[in-house]
Amino acid sequence: AAFLGGCGRHSSAEHYYLVASNIKLAYWQSASAGLDKIAAEYNVHADMRGPDNFDPKEQVDDFRAVVAQKPAGILVSVVDPKLMQPEIDAAIEAGIPVLTVDSDAPNSKRLYFIGTNNREAGRLGGKALVQKLNGKGNVVVFTMPGQPNLEERLAGYKDVLATAPGVHIVDVVDIAGQSTEIGRAHV
């Protein structure tokens, strides 16, 4: 919608892509359905690409393959900004508009980022956590270190927990992209 909403007419030959990781997750399936819906409304083509699992290098390969198609635009949820930045920059230099969504590559030449203020979301979650724990308790955080949006969210939690001396993060567990396996792997 970000590419199409404010624009005039579109050609039915236009093709847009969403590149993500773990694309079989319900979250990305919902995003893909939304992309398909808006593409149908504007009579253009849209597809989602990316690995079925958490694989930053494979995401880069999928992004390169999309760029080779010379699409009208690319949305990308960046897993590893260091790996993706040169790819985004190359796409922009080739005249392909790129927007980051959900997770950013802020040092890239992307046109803009669409997503949550994750630090503030972490602060809100931290406040709710402190309240639920009545200001006392130990916490284990399940996350994916190195993924920008999740790093920002954890920083927001830490901001709040720094003011709550009775609540402590005792461990940060790297789920390595296996969000559907958390319950079984850590019971």
Short mmCIF file of all heavy atoms in Angstrom, two decimals, residues 120-149:
data_model
loop_
_atom_site.label_atom_id
_atom_site.label_comp_id
_atom_site.label_asym_id
_atom_site.label_seq_id
_atom_site.Cartn_x
_atom_site.Cartn_y
_atom_site.Cartn_z
N GLU A 120 10.02 2.16 21.95
CA GLU A 120 8.85 2.57 22.74
C GLU A 120 7.96 1.37 23.03
O GLU A 120 7.41 1.25 24.13
CB GLU A 120 8.07 3.67 22.02
CG GLU A 120 6.93 4.23 22.83
CD GLU A 120 7.34 4.84 24.17
OE1 GLU A 120 8.49 5.30 24.33
OE2 GLU A 120 6.49 4.84 25.09
N ALA A 121 7.81 0.46 22.08
CA ALA A 121 7.03 -0.75 22.33
C ALA A 121 7.65 -1.56 23.46
O ALA A 121 6.94 -2.11 24.32
CB ALA A 121 6.93 -1.60 21.06
N GLY A 122 8.98 -1.63 23.50
CA GLY A 122 9.66 -2.32 24.59
C GLY A 122 9.43 -1.63 25.92
O GLY A 122 9.24 -2.29 26.95
N ARG A 123 9.44 -0.31 25.90
CA ARG A 123 9.17 0.43 27.15
C ARG A 123 7.76 0.14 27.65
O ARG A 123 7.56 -0.06 28.86
CB ARG A 123 9.37 1.92 26.92
CG ARG A 123 10.81 2.33 26.79
CD ARG A 123 10.94 3.83 26.54
NE ARG A 123 12.33 4.18 26.30
CZ ARG A 123 12.75 4.97 25.34
NH1 ARG A 123 11.88 5.53 24.49
NH2 ARG A 123 14.02 5.22 25.20
N LEU A 124 6.81 0.14 26.75
CA LEU A 124 5.42 -0.17 27.14
C LEU A 124 5.33 -1.59 27.70
O LEU A 124 4.68 -1.83 28.72
CB LEU A 124 4.47 0.01 25.97
CG LEU A 124 4.27 1.45 25.49
CD1 LEU A 124 3.49 1.47 24.18
CD2 LEU A 124 3.56 2.27 26.55
N GLY A 125 5.99 -2.53 27.03
CA GLY A 125 6.01 -3.91 27.53
C GLY A 125 6.71 -4.00 28.87
O GLY A 125 6.27 -4.74 29.76
N GLY A 126 7.79 -3.26 29.04
CA GLY A 126 8.51 -3.26 30.30
C GLY A 126 7.66 -2.74 31.45
O GLY A 126 7.67 -3.29 32.56
N LYS A 127 6.91 -1.68 31.18
CA LYS A 127 6.02 -1.13 32.22
C LYS A 127 4.96 -2.15 32.61
O LYS A 127 4.66 -2.33 33.79
CB LYS A 127 5.38 0.17 31.73
CG LYS A 127 6.34 1.32 31.65
CD LYS A 127 5.68 2.56 31.04
CE LYS A 127 6.72 3.67 30.85
NZ LYS A 127 6.14 4.83 30.16
N ALA A 128 4.39 -2.81 31.61
CA ALA A 128 3.38 -3.83 31.89
C ALA A 128 3.99 -5.00 32.66
O ALA A 128 3.37 -5.54 33.59
CB ALA A 128 2.75 -4.33 30.59
N LEU A 129 5.21 -5.38 32.31
CA LEU A 129 5.90 -6.46 33.00
C LEU A 129 6.13 -6.12 34.47
O LEU A 129 5.82 -6.92 35.35
CB LEU A 129 7.24 -6.73 32.31
CG LEU A 129 8.14 -7.78 32.95
CD1 LEU A 129 7.51 -9.16 32.85
CD2 LEU A 129 9.50 -7.76 32.28
N VAL A 130 6.65 -4.94 34.73
CA VAL A 130 6.91 -4.52 36.12
C VAL A 130 5.61 -4.51 36.91
O VAL A 130 5.56 -4.97 38.06
CB VAL A 130 7.59 -3.13 36.15
CG1 VAL A 130 7.62 -2.56 37.57
CG2 VAL A 130 9.00 -3.22 35.57
N GLN A 131 4.54 -4.05 36.27
CA GLN A 131 3.24 -4.02 36.95
C GLN A 131 2.75 -5.44 37.26
O GLN A 131 2.31 -5.73 38.37
CB GLN A 131 2.22 -3.27 36.09
CG GLN A 131 0.88 -3.12 36.74
CD GLN A 131 -0.10 -2.35 35.85
OE1 GLN A 131 0.13 -2.14 34.68
NE2 GLN A 131 -1.20 -1.93 36.46
N LYS A 132 2.84 -6.32 36.28
CA LYS A 132 2.37 -7.71 36.47
C LYS A 132 3.18 -8.42 37.55
O LYS A 132 2.64 -9.26 38.28
CB LYS A 132 2.47 -8.51 35.17
CG LYS A 132 1.38 -8.23 34.20
CD LYS A 132 0.15 -8.97 34.62
CE LYS A 132 -0.88 -8.91 33.51
NZ LYS A 132 -2.16 -9.39 33.96
N LEU A 133 4.45 -8.11 37.66
CA LEU A 133 5.31 -8.74 38.65
C LEU A 133 5.31 -8.01 39.99
O LEU A 133 6.04 -8.39 40.90
CB LEU A 133 6.75 -8.83 38.12
CG LEU A 133 7.00 -9.75 36.93
CD1 LEU A 133 8.44 -9.63 36.45
CD2 LEU A 133 6.66 -11.19 37.27
N ASN A 134 4.47 -6.99 40.08
CA ASN A 134 4.42 -6.16 41.30
C ASN A 134 5.81 -5.67 41.71
O ASN A 134 6.16 -5.62 42.89
CB ASN A 134 3.76 -6.91 42.45
CG ASN A 134 2.30 -7.16 42.18
OD1 ASN A 134 1.58 -6.28 41.70
ND2 ASN A 134 1.85 -8.37 42.46
N GLY A 135 6.63 -5.37 40.69
CA GLY A 135 7.95 -4.78 40.95
C GLY A 135 9.02 -5.74 41.41
O GLY A 135 10.13 -5.32 41.73
N LYS A 136 8.73 -7.07 41.40
CA LYS A 136 9.73 -8.04 41.87
C LYS A 136 9.67 -9.30 41.01
O LYS A 136 8.60 -9.83 40.75
CB LYS A 136 9.45 -8.45 43.31
CG LYS A 136 9.60 -7.34 44.32
CD LYS A 136 9.28 -7.84 45.72
CE LYS A 136 9.28 -6.67 46.68
NZ LYS A 136 8.83 -7.08 48.00
N GLY A 137 10.85 -9.76 40.58
CA GLY A 137 10.88 -11.02 39.85
C GLY A 137 12.06 -11.11 38.90
O GLY A 137 12.76 -10.14 38.64
N ASN A 138 12.26 -12.33 38.42
CA ASN A 138 13.30 -12.61 37.44
C ASN A 138 12.65 -12.91 36.11
O ASN A 138 11.58 -13.53 36.05
CB ASN A 138 14.16 -13.79 37.90
CG ASN A 138 14.94 -13.46 39.15
OD1 ASN A 138 15.45 -12.35 39.28
ND2 ASN A 138 15.02 -14.41 40.07
N VAL A 139 13.32 -12.48 35.05
CA VAL A 139 12.74 -12.57 33.71
C VAL A 139 13.74 -13.23 32.76
O VAL A 139 14.93 -12.95 32.82
CB VAL A 139 12.40 -11.15 33.18
CG1 VAL A 139 11.85 -11.20 31.78
CG2 VAL A 139 11.45 -10.44 34.13
N VAL A 140 13.23 -14.08 31.88
CA VAL A 140 14.01 -14.64 30.78
C VAL A 140 13.42 -14.05 29.49
O VAL A 140 12.21 -14.06 29.30
CB VAL A 140 13.93 -16.18 30.74
CG1 VAL A 140 14.65 -16.73 29.51
CG2 VAL A 140 14.50 -16.78 32.02
N VAL A 141 14.29 -13.54 28.65
CA VAL A 141 13.86 -12.93 27.39
C VAL A 141 14.22 -13.88 26.25
O VAL A 141 15.36 -14.33 26.14
CB VAL A 141 14.55 -11.56 27.16
CG1 VAL A 141 14.17 -10.99 25.81
CG2 VAL A 141 14.19 -10.61 28.29
N PHE A 142 13.26 -14.18 25.40
CA PHE A 142 13.47 -14.97 24.20
C PHE A 142 13.50 -14.00 23.03
O PHE A 142 12.53 -13.27 22.79
CB PHE A 142 12.35 -15.99 24.01
CG PHE A 142 12.34 -17.05 25.08
CD1 PHE A 142 11.68 -16.86 26.28
CD2 PHE A 142 13.02 -18.25 24.88
CE1 PHE A 142 11.68 -17.82 27.26
CE2 PHE A 142 13.02 -19.23 25.86
CZ PHE A 142 12.35 -19.02 27.05
N THR A 143 14.60 -13.97 22.28
CA THR A 143 14.75 -12.99 21.20
C THR A 143 15.73 -13.52 20.16
O THR A 143 16.17 -14.67 20.23
CB THR A 143 15.23 -11.63 21.78
OG1 THR A 143 15.16 -10.64 20.74
CG2 THR A 143 16.62 -11.71 22.36
N MET A 144 16.06 -12.68 19.20
CA MET A 144 17.05 -13.00 18.18
C MET A 144 18.07 -11.87 18.17
O MET A 144 17.87 -10.86 17.50
CB MET A 144 16.40 -13.18 16.82
CG MET A 144 15.52 -14.42 16.75
SD MET A 144 14.83 -14.76 15.14
CE MET A 144 13.61 -13.48 14.99
N PRO A 145 19.14 -12.01 18.93
CA PRO A 145 20.16 -10.96 18.98
C PRO A 145 20.67 -10.62 17.57
O PRO A 145 20.84 -11.51 16.73
CB PRO A 145 21.27 -11.58 19.82
CG PRO A 145 20.56 -12.58 20.68
CD PRO A 145 19.47 -13.13 19.80
N GLY A 146 20.86 -9.34 17.34
CA GLY A 146 21.35 -8.88 16.05
C GLY A 146 20.27 -8.43 15.11
O GLY A 146 20.54 -7.75 14.13
N GLN A 147 19.02 -8.81 15.35
CA GLN A 147 17.94 -8.34 14.49
C GLN A 147 17.50 -6.98 15.02
O GLN A 147 17.08 -6.87 16.17
CB GLN A 147 16.77 -9.32 14.46
CG GLN A 147 15.75 -8.93 13.40
CD GLN A 147 14.79 -10.04 13.07
OE1 GLN A 147 15.14 -11.20 13.09
NE2 GLN A 147 13.57 -9.66 12.75
N PRO A 148 17.60 -5.93 14.20
CA PRO A 148 17.45 -4.56 14.70
C PRO A 148 16.15 -4.29 15.45
O PRO A 148 16.17 -3.66 16.51
CB PRO A 148 17.53 -3.70 13.44
CG PRO A 148 18.11 -4.56 12.39
CD PRO A 148 17.87 -5.98 12.78
N ASN A 149 15.03 -4.72 14.93
CA ASN A 149 13.76 -4.41 15.60
C ASN A 149 13.70 -5.06 16.98
O ASN A 149 13.19 -4.47 17.93
CB ASN A 149 12.55 -4.79 14.74
CG ASN A 149 12.51 -6.26 14.35
OD1 ASN A 149 13.53 -6.94 14.26
ND2 ASN A 149 11.33 -6.76 14.10
#
